[in-house]
Amino acid sequence: MLTLGLGLSACKPEPLKSEPTPAERVEMRAAASDASTTPTGPLSAVDLRRVCRAALAAVHGQATSAIEITGLEGQVVNAQWRAPVDGGLMKAQCRTDGDLVTWKPLELPDPADIRWMNEAGDPVNTFAIKGDVVTVTQTYPDATIQAEDFDVPATQEAV
């Protein structure tokens, strides 16, 4: 009988491995160009607005001119834009942490959908700044990478 117990314990399934965090998924990504600025601390209000405008444009397939920055709450940007399909008003918040940029949809019908998009299974968005250009790189859960440059002059974001 003891043999049976030992044999069954050897058949225990291995514990499930959790999904990697967004930061872990892009840990091995290529280094940014030496000509690009990777932040070492919190962004200035102007650069935070520029990065969020570009990131929201990239994520939602919009032109940067369509993204209206409506306010700044500390290091969180509030933005809105017209949905291209029905013209409805879309709203979101955006923040950065190092070179990661994260966004959260607002005013959705299901409150469970209003969350920061930084969980396992969400695309990971990073940025780099070079002059007036903000490069947004999206890394999808299947490891597909898409990078896009956006011209967002600092003078456009001066408040």
Side-chain angles (χ1 to χ4, degrees):
M1 192 73 134
L2 182 58
T3 306
L4 179 60
L6 290 174
L8 289 177
S9 68
C11 295
K12 280 203 260 181
E14 291 185 31
L16 295 176
K17 293 183 181 179
S18 64
E19 288 283 325
T21 65
E24 290 169 338
R25 286 198 312 265
V26 295
E27 192 172 277
M28 299 302 291
R29 69 181 180 257
S33 161
D34 290 340
S36 300
T37 302
T38 301
T40 56
L43 296 175
S44 68
V46 168
D47 281 344
L48 182 59
R49 292 166 59 101
R50 293 173 63 208
V51 166
C52 285
R53 182 183 302 274
L56 290 169
V59 168
H60 297 286
Q62 299 290 314
T64 55
S65 60
I67 307 294
E68 177 188 357
I69 303 300
T70 59
L72 189 63
E73 299 174 29
Q75 290 294 306
V76 176
V77 171
N78 295 308
Q80 65 185 23
W81 63 96
R82 291 281 171 201
V85 176
D86 64 5
L89 191 61
M90 305 295 296
K91 294 184 179 184
Q93 289 183 317
C94 172
R95 65 184 182 195
T96 62
D97 180 12
D99 68 342
L100 290 173
V101 59
T102 310
W103 68 283
K104 173 173 77 172
L106 300 174
E107 298 181 12
L108 296 177
D110 184 353
D113 292 334
I114 301 173
R115 64 173 182 82
W116 289 103
M117 298 293 147
N118 62 354
E119 296 178 5
D122 291 333
V124 176
N125 302 294
T126 58
F127 71 92
I129 300 171
K130 181 180 177 186
D132 286 345
V133 176
V134 177
T135 301
V136 177
T137 303
Q138 298 181 79
T139 304
Y140 297 94
D142 67 358
T144 303
I145 297 174
Q146 179 178 343
E148 192 171 354
D149 291 337
F150 295 90
D151 187 35
V152 189
T155 55
Q156 177 180 326
E157 296 303 330
V159 237

